[in-house]
Amino acid sequence: MTAETIVTPADCEVAPQGVRCMVMRGGTSKGAYFVANELPKDPDERDSLLARIMGSPDPRQIDGIGGAHPLTSKVAVVSLSTDPGADVDYLFLQVGVDDGLVSNRQNCGNLLAAVGQFALERGLTSASGPQARVRIRMLNAGSSDTGVTVTGSVATATFPLDGDGPVYEGETAISGVPGTAAEVRLDFEDIAGSACGALLPTGGITNVIDGVEVTCVDNGMPTVVLRATDLGIAGDEEPGTLEANTPFRERLESLRLQAGEMMNLGNVSTTTVPKMTLVSLPRADGDICTRTFIPHRCHDAIGVLGAVSVATALRIPGGTGAELLRPGAEPDLVSIEHPTGIFVARVEIGDGHNGPAVGHAGIIRTARKLFDGLVFPPSAALPRTPH
Ligand code: NQM
């Protein structure tokens, strides 16, 4: 048995006293939250440290605090904003479970749901009264290697407060999370084209790739929307059933690689965007049924900005799968069925100079502080687990 060891210069530089870290549930994801200046400044050093903290690369992340799934192997890095129009800056980093790669190429609207509370907990911003409103600039924008330049957009998080800080207890339930917690409202500004440079980055409402019609959209998350039946599935299968269907997954990945090039994302073979959302007729009380690949695992629910992007594609006249929406659905709301329930996204679409334009977009989440303390990463990179 051989094990390949990834060694970087940062491997010897871990403070033996630990690294300050808060673990929070944001929406249907869970992640480690850090203040930016408590991590190494150098991105390579920072990423090496974060991979070790999460326990990657290892399918079980047994030597770290990651949860062995993309939805629980996430990091939020928060700092005072350098933009006078925002309170704090939020950088999302996805830590690859199996490969240990740390990527800033996508945003995460679920971890975003706890950024406001984290910023108050760490004294990065302040608020008083019954509610906090924290303006969060989202730093994950277009990647420099594709030539697309996109500026960070802003989300406002609104959540309850008491004299001691954020209130986490509450009566709001969201699908995919047991019990209830305090409501966090997220309102988005200027998220269209967040990573691809345009709401419809291919220039068209639909495209045909290998005979399959798709809508490629980026309203906060680069996403490809396609009809489940066009890929020979019903669309309401369990995630595990779809993940086990190798020919289907190979076809989906081939479409994704081609769509990535068309969406200005370049070669997406090692990136987590675009996401792939298969749509079909609603089965429960929603307007549309979905299964989303993020992009290799099937999501147990649907991402926040992913849901906003899917709702946008379906609300654009002629968008792929728009005809599958439940007749009579409310114009600005889309109730998206997913494997563990329903996600309601509000998106207003109007006419812009060059086609459809997005007005307000917003969603409701909950978030909770789970743990606050010090995390102790190993000082050397983990050997890659042999497969
Ligand atoms: O789309 C999963 C999640 C996400 C991302 C993913 C997210 C979003 O459920 O904004 O929240 O698509 O990787 O946390």
Side-chain angles (χ1 to χ4, degrees), residues 26 28-30 70-71 74 92 94 106-112 188 220-221 223 272 275 292-295 299 301-308 365:
T28 50
S29 281
K30 185 158 58 179
L71 298 179
K74 301 187 160 198
F92 168 69
Q94 179 75 52
Q106 77 161 81
N107 192 355
C108 175
N110 271 310
L111 282 207
L112 171 69
F188 297 103
M221 182 66 74
T223 306
T272 56
K275 311 292 178 186
T292 300
F293 279 76
I294 58 169
H299 204 307
I302 187 168
V304 169
L305 293 159
V308 170
R365 298 272 82 187

PDB file of all heavy atoms in Angstrom, residues 26 28-30 70-71 74 92 94 106-112 188 220-221 223 272 275 292-295 299 301-308 365, ligand 1:
ATOM      1  N   GLY A  26     -25.536  26.730   8.886  1.00  0.00           N
ATOM      2  CA  GLY A  26     -26.159  27.785   8.101  1.00  0.00           C
ATOM      3  C   GLY A  26     -27.120  27.100   7.148  1.00  0.00           C
ATOM      4  O   GLY A  26     -26.686  26.333   6.282  1.00  0.00           O
ATOM      5  N   THR A  28     -29.086  24.490   5.397  1.00  0.00           N
ATOM      6  CA  THR A  28     -28.944  23.028   5.378  1.00  0.00           C
ATOM      7  C   THR A  28     -27.481  22.599   5.227  1.00  0.00           C
ATOM      8  O   THR A  28     -27.219  21.473   4.834  1.00  0.00           O
ATOM      9  CB  THR A  28     -29.787  22.426   4.232  1.00  0.00           C
ATOM     10  OG1 THR A  28     -29.495  23.137   3.023  1.00  0.00           O
ATOM     11  CG2 THR A  28     -31.272  22.538   4.516  1.00  0.00           C
ATOM     12  N   SER A  29     -26.560  23.507   5.510  1.00  0.00           N
ATOM     13  CA  SER A  29     -25.137  23.146   5.497  1.00  0.00           C
ATOM     14  C   SER A  29     -24.521  23.428   6.861  1.00  0.00           C
ATOM     15  O   SER A  29     -25.121  24.107   7.701  1.00  0.00           O
ATOM     16  CB  SER A  29     -24.389  23.971   4.441  1.00  0.00           C
ATOM     17  OG  SER A  29     -24.583  23.448   3.163  1.00  0.00           O
ATOM     18  N   LYS A  30     -23.316  22.934   7.040  1.00  0.00           N
ATOM     19  CA  LYS A  30     -22.611  23.154   8.305  1.00  0.00           C
ATOM     20  C   LYS A  30     -21.166  23.476   7.966  1.00  0.00           C
ATOM     21  O   LYS A  30     -20.593  22.862   7.061  1.00  0.00           O
ATOM     22  CB  LYS A  30     -22.701  21.874   9.139  1.00  0.00           C
ATOM     23  CG  LYS A  30     -22.130  21.981  10.509  1.00  0.00           C
ATOM     24  CD  LYS A  30     -22.708  20.923  11.436  1.00  0.00           C
ATOM     25  CE  LYS A  30     -22.499  19.499  10.973  1.00  0.00           C
ATOM     26  NZ  LYS A  30     -23.068  18.535  11.923  1.00  0.00           N
ATOM     27  N   PRO A  70     -19.797  17.039   0.951  1.00  0.00           N
ATOM     28  CA  PRO A  70     -19.561  18.426   0.518  1.00  0.00           C
ATOM     29  C   PRO A  70     -20.377  19.453   1.314  1.00  0.00           C
ATOM     30  O   PRO A  70     -19.930  20.586   1.517  1.00  0.00           O
ATOM     31  CB  PRO A  70     -19.986  18.430  -0.958  1.00  0.00           C
ATOM     32  CG  PRO A  70     -19.923  17.004  -1.399  1.00  0.00           C
ATOM     33  CD  PRO A  70     -20.121  16.153  -0.176  1.00  0.00           C
ATOM     34  N   LEU A  71     -21.551  19.067   1.804  1.00  0.00           N
ATOM     35  CA  LEU A  71     -22.401  20.038   2.507  1.00  0.00           C
ATOM     36  C   LEU A  71     -21.931  20.306   3.936  1.00  0.00           C
ATOM     37  O   LEU A  71     -22.428  21.217   4.602  1.00  0.00           O
ATOM     38  CB  LEU A  71     -23.853  19.557   2.539  1.00  0.00           C
ATOM     39  CG  LEU A  71     -24.511  19.403   1.163  1.00  0.00           C
ATOM     40  CD1 LEU A  71     -25.937  18.902   1.309  1.00  0.00           C
ATOM     41  CD2 LEU A  71     -24.499  20.724   0.406  1.00  0.00           C
ATOM     42  N   LYS A  74     -17.224  22.758   4.665  1.00  0.00           N
ATOM     43  CA  LYS A  74     -17.296  24.130   4.164  1.00  0.00           C
ATOM     44  C   LYS A  74     -16.671  25.095   5.166  1.00  0.00           C
ATOM     45  O   LYS A  74     -16.723  24.856   6.370  1.00  0.00           O
ATOM     46  CB  LYS A  74     -18.755  24.526   3.966  1.00  0.00           C
ATOM     47  CG  LYS A  74     -19.481  23.624   2.982  1.00  0.00           C
ATOM     48  CD  LYS A  74     -20.875  24.117   2.669  1.00  0.00           C
ATOM     49  CE  LYS A  74     -21.332  23.496   1.372  1.00  0.00           C
ATOM     50  NZ  LYS A  74     -22.449  24.209   0.792  1.00  0.00           N
ATOM     51  N   PHE A  92     -16.278  32.381   0.860  1.00  0.00           N
ATOM     52  CA  PHE A  92     -16.649  30.977   1.073  1.00  0.00           C
ATOM     53  C   PHE A  92     -15.587  30.081   0.450  1.00  0.00           C
ATOM     54  O   PHE A  92     -15.147  30.322  -0.673  1.00  0.00           O
ATOM     55  CB  PHE A  92     -18.013  30.682   0.425  1.00  0.00           C
ATOM     56  CG  PHE A  92     -18.310  29.211   0.371  1.00  0.00           C
ATOM     57  CD1 PHE A  92     -18.561  28.510   1.538  1.00  0.00           C
ATOM     58  CD2 PHE A  92     -18.285  28.511  -0.823  1.00  0.00           C
ATOM     59  CE1 PHE A  92     -18.794  27.137   1.519  1.00  0.00           C
ATOM     60  CE2 PHE A  92     -18.519  27.140  -0.858  1.00  0.00           C
ATOM     61  CZ  PHE A  92     -18.782  26.455   0.316  1.00  0.00           C
ATOM     62  N   GLN A  94     -14.828  25.963  -0.321  1.00  0.00           N
ATOM     63  CA  GLN A  94     -15.268  24.561  -0.302  1.00  0.00           C
ATOM     64  C   GLN A  94     -14.030  23.695  -0.139  1.00  0.00           C
ATOM     65  O   GLN A  94     -13.076  23.819  -0.913  1.00  0.00           O
ATOM     66  CB  GLN A  94     -15.974  24.216  -1.620  1.00  0.00           C
ATOM     67  CG  GLN A  94     -16.463  22.785  -1.722  1.00  0.00           C
ATOM     68  CD  GLN A  94     -17.714  22.538  -0.893  1.00  0.00           C
ATOM     69  OE1 GLN A  94     -18.690  23.268  -1.012  1.00  0.00           O
ATOM     70  NE2 GLN A  94     -17.696  21.510  -0.053  1.00  0.00           N
ATOM     71  N   GLN A 106     -16.897  28.933  -5.931  1.00  0.00           N
ATOM     72  CA  GLN A 106     -18.351  29.058  -5.787  1.00  0.00           C
ATOM     73  C   GLN A 106     -18.673  29.779  -4.491  1.00  0.00           C
ATOM     74  O   GLN A 106     -17.853  29.840  -3.574  1.00  0.00           O
ATOM     75  CB  GLN A 106     -19.043  27.695  -5.812  1.00  0.00           C
ATOM     76  CG  GLN A 106     -18.918  26.929  -4.500  1.00  0.00           C
ATOM     77  CD  GLN A 106     -19.950  25.816  -4.351  1.00  0.00           C
ATOM     78  OE1 GLN A 106     -19.755  24.749  -4.900  1.00  0.00           O
ATOM     79  NE2 GLN A 106     -21.021  26.068  -3.606  1.00  0.00           N
ATOM     80  N   ASN A 107     -19.874  30.312  -4.433  1.00  0.00           N
ATOM     81  CA  ASN A 107     -20.376  30.948  -3.229  1.00  0.00           C
ATOM     82  C   ASN A 107     -21.243  29.926  -2.495  1.00  0.00           C
ATOM     83  O   ASN A 107     -21.512  28.836  -3.012  1.00  0.00           O
ATOM     84  CB  ASN A 107     -21.195  32.167  -3.656  1.00  0.00           C
ATOM     85  CG  ASN A 107     -21.529  33.095  -2.502  1.00  0.00           C
ATOM     86  OD1 ASN A 107     -21.242  32.800  -1.346  1.00  0.00           O
ATOM     87  ND2 ASN A 107     -22.128  34.216  -2.821  1.00  0.00           N
ATOM     88  N   CYS A 108     -21.666  30.215  -1.287  1.00  0.00           N
ATOM     89  CA  CYS A 108     -22.601  29.332  -0.587  1.00  0.00           C
ATOM     90  C   CYS A 108     -23.599  30.183   0.179  1.00  0.00           C
ATOM     91  O   CYS A 108     -23.233  30.844   1.161  1.00  0.00           O
ATOM     92  CB  CYS A 108     -21.871  28.383   0.356  1.00  0.00           C
ATOM     93  SG  CYS A 108     -23.023  27.383   1.321  1.00  0.00           S
ATOM     94  N   GLY A 109     -24.845  30.122  -0.263  1.00  0.00           N
ATOM     95  CA  GLY A 109     -25.903  30.899   0.382  1.00  0.00           C
ATOM     96  C   GLY A 109     -26.352  30.289   1.687  1.00  0.00           C
ATOM     97  O   GLY A 109     -26.992  30.966   2.502  1.00  0.00           O
ATOM     98  N   ASN A 110     -26.047  29.001   1.903  1.00  0.00           N
ATOM     99  CA  ASN A 110     -26.422  28.394   3.182  1.00  0.00           C
ATOM    100  C   ASN A 110     -25.482  28.865   4.292  1.00  0.00           C
ATOM    101  O   ASN A 110     -25.944  29.340   5.330  1.00  0.00           O
ATOM    102  CB  ASN A 110     -26.455  26.873   3.062  1.00  0.00           C
ATOM    103  CG  ASN A 110     -27.824  26.373   2.634  1.00  0.00           C
ATOM    104  OD1 ASN A 110     -28.845  26.746   3.217  1.00  0.00           O
ATOM    105  ND2 ASN A 110     -27.878  25.565   1.586  1.00  0.00           N
ATOM    106  N   LEU A 111     -24.168  28.768   4.077  1.00  0.00           N
ATOM    107  CA  LEU A 111     -23.261  29.288   5.119  1.00  0.00           C
ATOM    108  C   LEU A 111     -23.465  30.792   5.309  1.00  0.00           C
ATOM    109  O   LEU A 111     -23.316  31.314   6.420  1.00  0.00           O
ATOM    110  CB  LEU A 111     -21.799  29.004   4.773  1.00  0.00           C
ATOM    111  CG  LEU A 111     -21.251  27.609   4.999  1.00  0.00           C
ATOM    112  CD1 LEU A 111     -19.751  27.654   5.256  1.00  0.00           C
ATOM    113  CD2 LEU A 111     -21.932  26.841   6.099  1.00  0.00           C
ATOM    114  N   LEU A 112     -23.843  31.486   4.229  1.00  0.00           N
ATOM    115  CA  LEU A 112     -24.118  32.927   4.322  1.00  0.00           C
ATOM    116  C   LEU A 112     -25.144  33.224   5.419  1.00  0.00           C
ATOM    117  O   LEU A 112     -25.070  34.260   6.083  1.00  0.00           O
ATOM    118  CB  LEU A 112     -24.644  33.411   2.955  1.00  0.00           C
ATOM    119  CG  LEU A 112     -25.200  34.824   2.874  1.00  0.00           C
ATOM    120  CD1 LEU A 112     -24.082  35.846   3.043  1.00  0.00           C
ATOM    121  CD2 LEU A 112     -25.904  35.040   1.528  1.00  0.00           C
ATOM    122  N   PHE A 188     -30.907  39.712  -1.557  1.00  0.00           N
ATOM    123  CA  PHE A 188     -29.724  39.798  -2.427  1.00  0.00           C
ATOM    124  C   PHE A 188     -29.787  41.002  -3.353  1.00  0.00           C
ATOM    125  O   PHE A 188     -30.850  41.362  -3.853  1.00  0.00           O
ATOM    126  CB  PHE A 188     -29.627  38.525  -3.281  1.00  0.00           C
ATOM    127  CG  PHE A 188     -29.420  37.280  -2.472  1.00  0.00           C
ATOM    128  CD1 PHE A 188     -30.468  36.397  -2.233  1.00  0.00           C
ATOM    129  CD2 PHE A 188     -28.184  36.991  -1.920  1.00  0.00           C
ATOM    130  CE1 PHE A 188     -30.286  35.255  -1.480  1.00  0.00           C
ATOM    131  CE2 PHE A 188     -27.982  35.842  -1.167  1.00  0.00           C
ATOM    132  CZ  PHE A 188     -29.035  34.974  -0.945  1.00  0.00           C
ATOM    133  N   GLY A 220     -26.435  34.165  -9.043  1.00  0.00           N
ATOM    134  CA  GLY A 220     -25.804  33.893  -7.753  1.00  0.00           C
ATOM    135  C   GLY A 220     -25.052  32.576  -7.751  1.00  0.00           C
ATOM    136  O   GLY A 220     -24.116  32.402  -6.981  1.00  0.00           O
ATOM    137  N   MET A 221     -25.447  31.621  -8.596  1.00  0.00           N
ATOM    138  CA  MET A 221     -24.773  30.324  -8.668  1.00  0.00           C
ATOM    139  C   MET A 221     -24.852  29.830 -10.114  1.00  0.00           C
ATOM    140  O   MET A 221     -25.957  29.668 -10.643  1.00  0.00           O
ATOM    141  CB  MET A 221     -25.475  29.308  -7.754  1.00  0.00           C
ATOM    142  CG  MET A 221     -24.825  27.941  -7.712  1.00  0.00           C
ATOM    143  SD  MET A 221     -23.178  27.966  -6.975  1.00  0.00           S
ATOM    144  CE  MET A 221     -23.586  28.183  -5.247  1.00  0.00           C
ATOM    145  N   THR A 223     -25.576  27.572 -12.854  1.00  0.00           N
ATOM    146  CA  THR A 223     -26.426  26.376 -12.803  1.00  0.00           C
ATOM    147  C   THR A 223     -26.920  26.034 -14.200  1.00  0.00           C
ATOM    148  O   THR A 223     -27.248  26.933 -14.971  1.00  0.00           O
ATOM    149  CB  THR A 223     -27.649  26.638 -11.880  1.00  0.00           C
ATOM    150  OG1 THR A 223     -27.185  27.080 -10.599  1.00  0.00           O
ATOM    151  CG2 THR A 223     -28.492  25.391 -11.685  1.00  0.00           C
ATOM    152  N   THR A 272     -16.476  22.985  -8.625  1.00  0.00           N
ATOM    153  CA  THR A 272     -17.794  22.541  -8.149  1.00  0.00           C
ATOM    154  C   THR A 272     -18.942  23.283  -8.837  1.00  0.00           C
ATOM    155  O   THR A 272     -20.095  23.094  -8.469  1.00  0.00           O
ATOM    156  CB  THR A 272     -17.899  22.733  -6.625  1.00  0.00           C
ATOM    157  OG1 THR A 272     -17.629  24.113  -6.332  1.00  0.00           O
ATOM    158  CG2 THR A 272     -16.922  21.847  -5.887  1.00  0.00           C
ATOM    159  N   LYS A 275     -23.515  23.848 -11.192  1.00  0.00           N
ATOM    160  CA  LYS A 275     -24.369  22.812 -10.618  1.00  0.00           C
ATOM    161  C   LYS A 275     -25.318  22.330 -11.715  1.00  0.00           C
ATOM    162  O   LYS A 275     -25.605  23.066 -12.665  1.00  0.00           O
ATOM    163  CB  LYS A 275     -25.192  23.375  -9.458  1.00  0.00           C
ATOM    164  CG  LYS A 275     -24.391  24.161  -8.438  1.00  0.00           C
ATOM    165  CD  LYS A 275     -23.456  23.309  -7.647  1.00  0.00           C
ATOM    166  CE  LYS A 275     -22.643  24.150  -6.668  1.00  0.00           C
ATOM    167  NZ  LYS A 275     -21.626  23.360  -5.984  1.00  0.00           N
ATOM    168  N   THR A 292     -30.598  18.051  -7.680  1.00  0.00           N
ATOM    169  CA  THR A 292     -29.448  18.890  -8.046  1.00  0.00           C
ATOM    170  C   THR A 292     -28.144  18.178  -7.740  1.00  0.00           C
ATOM    171  O   THR A 292     -27.940  17.690  -6.612  1.00  0.00           O
ATOM    172  CB  THR A 292     -29.508  20.234  -7.273  1.00  0.00           C
ATOM    173  OG1 THR A 292     -30.726  20.892  -7.624  1.00  0.00           O
ATOM    174  CG2 THR A 292     -28.331  21.131  -7.632  1.00  0.00           C
ATOM    175  N   PHE A 293     -27.266  18.138  -8.723  1.00  0.00           N
ATOM    176  CA  PHE A 293     -25.924  17.570  -8.520  1.00  0.00           C
ATOM    177  C   PHE A 293     -24.939  18.720  -8.278  1.00  0.00           C
ATOM    178  O   PHE A 293     -24.934  19.705  -9.024  1.00  0.00           O
ATOM    179  CB  PHE A 293     -25.515  16.725  -9.735  1.00  0.00           C
ATOM    180  CG  PHE A 293     -26.122  15.353  -9.662  1.00  0.00           C
ATOM    181  CD1 PHE A 293     -27.460  15.166  -9.945  1.00  0.00           C
ATOM    182  CD2 PHE A 293     -25.371  14.266  -9.233  1.00  0.00           C
ATOM    183  CE1 PHE A 293     -28.045  13.906  -9.824  1.00  0.00           C
ATOM    184  CE2 PHE A 293     -25.941  13.005  -9.110  1.00  0.00           C
ATOM    185  CZ  PHE A 293     -27.288  12.820  -9.407  1.00  0.00           C
ATOM    186  N   ILE A 294     -24.100  18.570  -7.185  1.00  0.00           N
ATOM    187  CA  ILE A 294     -23.301  19.724  -6.724  1.00  0.00           C
ATOM    188  C   ILE A 294     -21.782  19.533  -6.839  1.00  0.00           C
ATOM    189  O   ILE A 294     -21.077  19.989  -5.947  1.00  0.00           O
ATOM    190  CB  ILE A 294     -23.696  20.058  -5.275  1.00  0.00           C
ATOM    191  CG1 ILE A 294     -23.494  18.857  -4.314  1.00  0.00           C
ATOM    192  CG2 ILE A 294     -25.099  20.579  -5.185  1.00  0.00           C
ATOM    193  CD1 ILE A 294     -23.621  19.183  -2.841  1.00  0.00           C
ATOM    194  N   PRO A 295     -21.195  19.053  -7.882  1.00  0.00           N
ATOM    195  CA  PRO A 295     -21.851  18.527  -9.063  1.00  0.00           C
ATOM    196  C   PRO A 295     -21.784  17.001  -9.138  1.00  0.00           C
ATOM    197  O   PRO A 295     -22.362  16.421 -10.051  1.00  0.00           O
ATOM    198  CB  PRO A 295     -21.035  19.143 -10.196  1.00  0.00           C
ATOM    199  CG  PRO A 295     -19.645  19.179  -9.649  1.00  0.00           C
ATOM    200  CD  PRO A 295     -19.772  19.364  -8.159  1.00  0.00           C
ATOM    201  N   HIS A 299     -27.547  16.602  -4.156  1.00  0.00           N
ATOM    202  CA  HIS A 299     -27.891  17.381  -2.956  1.00  0.00           C
ATOM    203  C   HIS A 299     -29.095  16.734  -2.264  1.00  0.00           C
ATOM    204  O   HIS A 299     -30.046  16.325  -2.917  1.00  0.00           O
ATOM    205  CB  HIS A 299     -28.224  18.812  -3.380  1.00  0.00           C
ATOM    206  CG  HIS A 299     -28.031  19.839  -2.308  1.00  0.00           C
ATOM    207  ND1 HIS A 299     -28.595  19.725  -1.067  1.00  0.00           N
ATOM    208  CD2 HIS A 299     -27.345  21.009  -2.303  1.00  0.00           C
ATOM    209  CE1 HIS A 299     -28.255  20.792  -0.341  1.00  0.00           C
ATOM    210  NE2 HIS A 299     -27.494  21.578  -1.067  1.00  0.00           N
ATOM    211  N   ALA A 301     -31.033  18.435  -0.550  1.00  0.00           N
ATOM    212  CA  ALA A 301     -32.074  19.472  -0.669  1.00  0.00           C
ATOM    213  C   ALA A 301     -31.733  20.265  -1.939  1.00  0.00           C
ATOM    214  O   ALA A 301     -31.694  19.712  -3.037  1.00  0.00           O
ATOM    215  CB  ALA A 301     -32.078  20.345   0.583  1.00  0.00           C
ATOM    216  N   ILE A 302     -31.447  21.549  -1.789  1.00  0.00           N
ATOM    217  CA  ILE A 302     -30.942  22.365  -2.899  1.00  0.00           C
ATOM    218  C   ILE A 302     -30.226  23.550  -2.260  1.00  0.00           C
ATOM    219  O   ILE A 302     -30.618  24.003  -1.173  1.00  0.00           O
ATOM    220  CB  ILE A 302     -32.086  22.810  -3.847  1.00  0.00           C
ATOM    221  CG1 ILE A 302     -31.539  23.514  -5.101  1.00  0.00           C
ATOM    222  CG2 ILE A 302     -33.113  23.689  -3.132  1.00  0.00           C
ATOM    223  CD1 ILE A 302     -32.577  23.717  -6.219  1.00  0.00           C
ATOM    224  N   GLY A 303     -29.157  24.030  -2.890  1.00  0.00           N
ATOM    225  CA  GLY A 303     -28.441  25.182  -2.347  1.00  0.00           C
ATOM    226  C   GLY A 303     -29.303  26.436  -2.426  1.00  0.00           C
ATOM    227  O   GLY A 303     -30.271  26.503  -3.187  1.00  0.00           O
ATOM    228  N   VAL A 304     -28.910  27.457  -1.664  1.00  0.00           N
ATOM    229  CA  VAL A 304     -29.688  28.700  -1.621  1.00  0.00           C
ATOM    230  C   VAL A 304     -29.590  29.450  -2.951  1.00  0.00           C
ATOM    231  O   VAL A 304     -30.597  29.736  -3.611  1.00  0.00           O
ATOM    232  CB  VAL A 304     -29.160  29.591  -0.477  1.00  0.00           C
ATOM    233  CG1 VAL A 304     -29.735  30.985  -0.567  1.00  0.00           C
ATOM    234  CG2 VAL A 304     -29.484  28.960   0.859  1.00  0.00           C
ATOM    235  N   LEU A 305     -28.358  29.792  -3.327  1.00  0.00           N
ATOM    236  CA  LEU A 305     -28.187  30.547  -4.575  1.00  0.00           C
ATOM    237  C   LEU A 305     -28.483  29.642  -5.766  1.00  0.00           C
ATOM    238  O   LEU A 305     -28.923  30.116  -6.815  1.00  0.00           O
ATOM    239  CB  LEU A 305     -26.777  31.131  -4.629  1.00  0.00           C
ATOM    240  CG  LEU A 305     -26.583  32.204  -3.548  1.00  0.00           C
ATOM    241  CD1 LEU A 305     -25.113  32.429  -3.241  1.00  0.00           C
ATOM    242  CD2 LEU A 305     -27.243  33.504  -3.953  1.00  0.00           C
ATOM    243  N   GLY A 306     -28.282  28.337  -5.571  1.00  0.00           N
ATOM    244  CA  GLY A 306     -28.703  27.370  -6.592  1.00  0.00           C
ATOM    245  C   GLY A 306     -30.213  27.463  -6.801  1.00  0.00           C
ATOM    246  O   GLY A 306     -30.698  27.518  -7.938  1.00  0.00           O
ATOM    247  N   ALA A 307     -30.971  27.522  -5.710  1.00  0.00           N
ATOM    248  CA  ALA A 307     -32.437  27.604  -5.811  1.00  0.00           C
ATOM    249  C   ALA A 307     -32.861  28.914  -6.460  1.00  0.00           C
ATOM    250  O   ALA A 307     -33.768  28.940  -7.302  1.00  0.00           O
ATOM    251  CB  ALA A 307     -33.056  27.482  -4.420  1.00  0.00           C
ATOM    252  N   VAL A 308     -32.183  29.999  -6.086  1.00  0.00           N
ATOM    253  CA  VAL A 308     -32.521  31.302  -6.687  1.00  0.00           C
ATOM    254  C   VAL A 308     -32.252  31.240  -8.203  1.00  0.00           C
ATOM    255  O   VAL A 308     -33.048  31.734  -9.016  1.00  0.00           O
ATOM    256  CB  VAL A 308     -31.707  32.435  -6.008  1.00  0.00           C
ATOM    257  CG1 VAL A 308     -31.833  33.744  -6.759  1.00  0.00           C
ATOM    258  CG2 VAL A 308     -32.159  32.605  -4.552  1.00  0.00           C
ATOM    259  N   ARG A 365     -33.998  31.465   5.754  1.00  0.00           N
ATOM    260  CA  ARG A 365     -33.208  30.352   6.292  1.00  0.00           C
ATOM    261  C   ARG A 365     -33.253  30.406   7.810  1.00  0.00           C
ATOM    262  O   ARG A 365     -33.767  31.355   8.412  1.00  0.00           O
ATOM    263  CB  ARG A 365     -31.738  30.450   5.871  1.00  0.00           C
ATOM    264  CG  ARG A 365     -31.452  30.394   4.401  1.00  0.00           C
ATOM    265  CD  ARG A 365     -31.290  28.967   3.908  1.00  0.00           C
ATOM    266  NE  ARG A 365     -32.585  28.359   3.661  1.00  0.00           N
ATOM    267  CZ  ARG A 365     -32.763  27.080   3.352  1.00  0.00           C
ATOM    268  NH1 ARG A 365     -31.758  26.264   3.279  1.00  0.00           N
ATOM    269  NH2 ARG A 365     -33.971  26.597   3.132  1.00  0.00           N
TER     270      ARG A 365
HETATM  271  O1  NQM B   1     -26.362  27.380  -3.673  1.00  0.00           O
HETATM  272  C1  NQM B   1     -24.486  23.457  -2.011  1.00  0.00           C
HETATM  273  C2  NQM B   1     -25.502  24.340  -0.045  1.00  0.00           C
HETATM  274  C3  NQM B   1     -24.830  24.544  -1.342  1.00  0.00           C
HETATM  275  C4  NQM B   1     -24.518  25.872  -1.827  1.00  0.00           C
HETATM  276  C5  NQM B   1     -23.808  23.430  -3.258  1.00  0.00           C
HETATM  277  C6  NQM B   1     -25.507  26.918  -1.509  1.00  0.00           C
HETATM  278  C7  NQM B   1     -25.991  27.823  -2.571  1.00  0.00           C
HETATM  279  O2  NQM B   1     -26.548  23.732  -0.001  1.00  0.00           O
HETATM  280  O3  NQM B   1     -26.048  29.014  -2.282  1.00  0.00           O
HETATM  281  O4  NQM B   1     -25.942  27.085  -0.399  1.00  0.00           O
HETATM  282  O5  NQM B   1     -24.476  23.655  -4.259  1.00  0.00           O
HETATM  283  O6  NQM B   1     -22.624  23.135  -3.253  1.00  0.00           O
HETATM  284  O7  NQM B   1     -24.975  24.787   0.987  1.00  0.00           O
END
